[in-house]
Amino acid sequence: MGVFFHDPLGMVISGGVNFGVDSRYSSGMTSLQAVAVPGIPMLTSGDDVAAVLAPHLNAVSWPDGHVGMRGDDVVVIAGKIVAKAQGRFHRAGAEPDDYRTRDCIPAALGLKAPNEPSRAAAVIRRGLAARFGGRPGVIISASSRAGEPGRGVLDRALAWAGVDMKTPGGESVTDAIAALAGAVMMSSPDCPVVLVRGIPDVLTWED
């Protein structure tokens, strides 16, 4: 399965990834593409994440020339921006900070992980489905240290919505997509959202 990483500067890296999806559910797969979504503004407490992301998702350019999000794409969102929209700030030093990096966090504040991330993912998915139609998937990602020495930081799926976890390989797919999106985010550090295309067979109409 061909995999393409694409960032707004036009860099495309191809390779092969085995996502562990049962062949019964992968017959429709061709290539998996992951595209960084540029232009996401700073979110703050009370923001509607789906509403903020929608115009930027609609303007995404794909390596094959297509533009915009489809209803069978998966949106991977860094947990940090969901936490900001939930107002999960606290006074720096008052309690542990759930994020190692302090990018875009005021010096006097810390930031905790998203509250009820599964519910947050479902709300975002419904908002995107209302705007783009279809059955989009949403994954909220979080960074964690890899278990093997020397492998650095890997992104994993903190929560998801619209991904059918009853299909063989469902759970491994969410973590693999989060890791793929994390690699794209590393190449585009100002893009905390990645749009992934090519896995419609593991998506569901339900949250």
Side-chain angles (χ1 to χ4, degrees), residues 60-192:
V60 162
S61 296
W62 294 89
D64 60 8
H66 287 88
V67 176
M69 176 178 167
R70 294 194 320 215
D72 59 355
D73 291 336
V74 177
V75 183
V76 183
I77 306 168
K80 184 177 292 188
I81 69 170
V82 177
K84 289 177 181 177
Q86 293 179 340
R88 298 280 287 164
F89 295 101
H90 61 82
R91 191 173 68 254
E95 52 186 303
D97 196 335
D98 287 334
Y99 293 93
R100 291 187 306 277
T101 61
R102 297 197 49 82
D103 297 342
C104 303
I105 300 176
L109 298 177
L111 186 65
K112 296 186 70 63
N115 185 42
E116 298 185 23
S118 294
R119 181 177 180 276
V123 170
I124 296 169
R125 193 202 74 84
R126 292 170 198 161
L128 294 176
R131 291 168 171 83
F132 294 97
R135 49 191 174 97
V138 168
I139 295 174
I140 297 175
S141 66
S143 297
S144 61
R145 286 284 172 188
E148 299 178 21
R151 292 195 61 190
V153 177
L154 290 177
D155 277 35
R156 59 181 176 81
L158 177 64
W160 51 85
V163 179
D164 188 357
M165 302 308 291
K166 296 178 182 178
T167 62
E171 187 168 355
S172 65
V173 165
T174 57
D175 278 334
I177 294 171
L180 169 64
V184 176
M185 290 179 192
M186 286 183 65
S187 72
S188 305
D190 293 328
C191 298

Side-chain angles (χ1 to χ4, degrees), residues 4-29:
F4 301 89
F5 302 80
H6 180 71
D7 69 18
L9 300 179
M11 181 181 70
V12 179
I13 306 170
S14 62
V17 174
N18 179 7
F19 280 82
V21 182
D22 188 285
S23 60
R24 290 173 295 170
Y25 298 93
S26 60
S27 59
M29 289 187 181

